[in-house]
Amino acid sequence: MIWAIKILLIAAFFLILVQDFRERKVYWFLFPIIGFLCGFLYFENTLPELFLVSSFLNLIFVGLIVLLTFLYVKIRLKKEFIHSIGSGDVLFFFAVCFSFSTISFLIIFVCSLIFSIILHLFLNLKRKEPNVPLAGYMSLFFAITYLAFWLELIEFLYVV
């Protein structure tokens, strides 16, 4: 059963990548699926109390990121929030909150943002596409991270 969940999770990440890259839209139901599957895998590998505390702290962290982005866009850029970041990106942020312990989540989340901007700059050397498929790029990074853990290339995904 665990292998089926892992395959479904990688498939959901891949669907988000393809949809966000091609159409800049993602089916909304993929985000709760990812949240549930990530949460299930993390819950199975840790104590229930640690899962709840980590998920709560991760939600607070993402909430702060979204709030600061909202304030920056409203005050500094004087734009509508919805025109600066996609709703799919925000939903993805909240979906992956249930994936790892807090320190691991912070490291992976920040690294996925760095990975996304580098990948976007590299892929858009000629096209100059102004929109970044952030949820798609981040889903690719999360899929690679999970695969590396399952192939035992990373040893500490749930315990740090």
Side-chain angles (χ1 to χ4, degrees):
M1 176 166 154
I2 294 293
W3 283 105
I5 290 172
K6 291 177 180 181
I7 291 169
L8 283 173
L9 181 61
I10 295 301
F13 281 138
F14 181 73
L15 282 172
I16 288 176
L17 171 66
V18 170
Q19 287 180 342
D20 203 16
F21 193 75
R22 285 188 183 164
E23 304 168 17
R24 299 296 194 266
K25 297 179 198 172
V26 179
Y27 293 131
W28 68 269
F29 62 84
L30 290 173
F31 301 112
I33 290 172
I34 283 182
F36 176 76
L37 295 175
C38 288
F40 180 81
L41 290 173
Y42 179 39
F43 186 81
E44 287 293 311
N45 286 287
T46 192
L47 298 171
E49 297 84 10
L50 184 59
F51 170 78
L52 291 173
V53 170
S54 294
S55 297
F56 179 71
L57 292 174
N58 295 348
L59 284 166
I60 289 174
F61 171 74
V62 168
L64 285 173
I65 294 289
V66 172
L67 176 65
L68 291 174
T69 304
F70 174 80
L71 292 174
Y72 180 79
V73 167
K74 282 292 207 185
I75 295 169
R76 182 79 173 144
L77 300 180
K78 299 192 184 332
K79 292 171 63 175
E80 291 294 320
F81 183 69
I82 196 71
H83 297 299
S84 62
I85 188 168
S87 56
D89 301 332
V90 175
L91 290 173
F92 186 82
F93 291 174
F94 284 106
V96 295
C97 284
F98 307 101
S99 54
F100 308 114
S101 65
T102 302
I103 300 298
S104 294
F105 177 74
L106 295 175
I107 293 168
I108 292 168
F109 190 84
V110 171
C111 288
S112 71
L113 291 172
I114 294 168
F115 171 82
S116 298
I117 193 66
I118 291 171
L119 186 60
H120 184 71
L121 291 173
F122 179 74
L123 292 177
N124 289 305
L125 289 174
K126 295 179 184 177
R127 292 191 317 177
K128 304 296 182 202
E129 177 67 36
N131 297 333
V132 178
L134 184 59
Y137 291 153
M138 288 180 74
S139 68
L140 175 63
F141 188 84
F142 272 79
I144 291 168
T145 302
Y146 273 109
L147 288 172
F149 177 68
W150 296 332
L151 295 172
E152 298 179 359
L153 300 173
I154 299 174
E155 298 177 11
F156 55 87
L157 197 58
Y158 292 120
V159 293
V160 172

